[in-house]
Amino acid sequence: MDFTKTEARIRASFAQQSMMQTIGADLAEITEGSVTITAPVSEGVQQQQGFAHGGMLFSIADSAAGYAALTVLPEDAEVMSAEVKINFLAPGSGQLEAIGRVIKPGRRLVVVAADVWSVDNGKRRHVAILQGTMIPVGA
């Protein structure tokens, strides 16, 4: 598989995600089996105490994990979340970084995980962990 094509395909797909645009997310890194997405905790994505809303944490973790799955699938494949679980570990603030990775690739299911980190005032904190199953579609 030509990874240059895979990376271009993932970047083009990410650019079409209005949710990621709305929250100011950026596709920071793509490698085979791993994708990193970053996003600021701006006023529009905070919960009542000023921390990142759980929905934002879930969104960037789910996208990072899903795109990680896409890195190990055929060029004509797309991917959708089949089931996902998230544990919130600590409040997130500042800049968030979701690192998605493939746990077990497969033709019918891809098991994935993502860790979400908060970087604020020089402190890096693990704020969430996600595990899920992605299903290839269109291949």
Side-chain angles (χ1 to χ4, degrees):
M1 175 176 13
D2 180 358
F3 198 75
T4 304
K5 287 183 181 179
T6 299
E7 183 174 353
R9 179 170 55 107
I10 289 170
R11 289 195 182 280
S13 174
F14 186 83
Q16 293 177 350
Q17 282 202 17
S18 61
M19 175 67 155
M20 294 295 108
Q21 292 172 19
T22 298
I23 64 174
D26 181 53
L27 190 51
E29 185 176 9
I30 304 168
T31 59
E32 188 171 346
S34 179
V35 168
T36 300
I37 294 174
T38 60
V41 180
S42 62
E43 285 187 30
V45 295
Q46 294 175 5
Q47 45 85 294
Q48 70 278 9
Q49 296 166 324
F51 297 109
H53 191 282
M56 181 198 187
L57 296 172
F58 181 88
S59 294
I60 64 171
D62 179 54
S63 287
Y67 281 122
L70 201 55
T71 69
V72 299
L73 294 173
E75 285 184 26
D76 59 345
E78 288 288 337
V79 68
M80 293 181 71
S81 301
E83 68 78 32
V84 182
K85 171 196 184 326
I86 192 165
N87 292 102
F88 298 113
L89 307 173
S93 57
Q95 179 81 2
L96 298 179
E97 178 183 63
I99 304 168
R101 65 189 182 283
V102 173
I103 303 297
K104 184 173 187 319
R107 289 180 302 153
R108 295 179 193 225
L109 297 174
V110 181
V111 178
V112 294
D115 293 287
V116 183
W117 301 87
S118 169
V119 180
D120 196 11
N121 293 320
K123 288 187 172 184
R124 183 175 166 92
R125 176 188 288 198
H126 199 189
V127 296
I129 186 164
L130 172 143
Q131 183 173 323
T133 307
M134 301 292 160
I135 184 167
V137 295

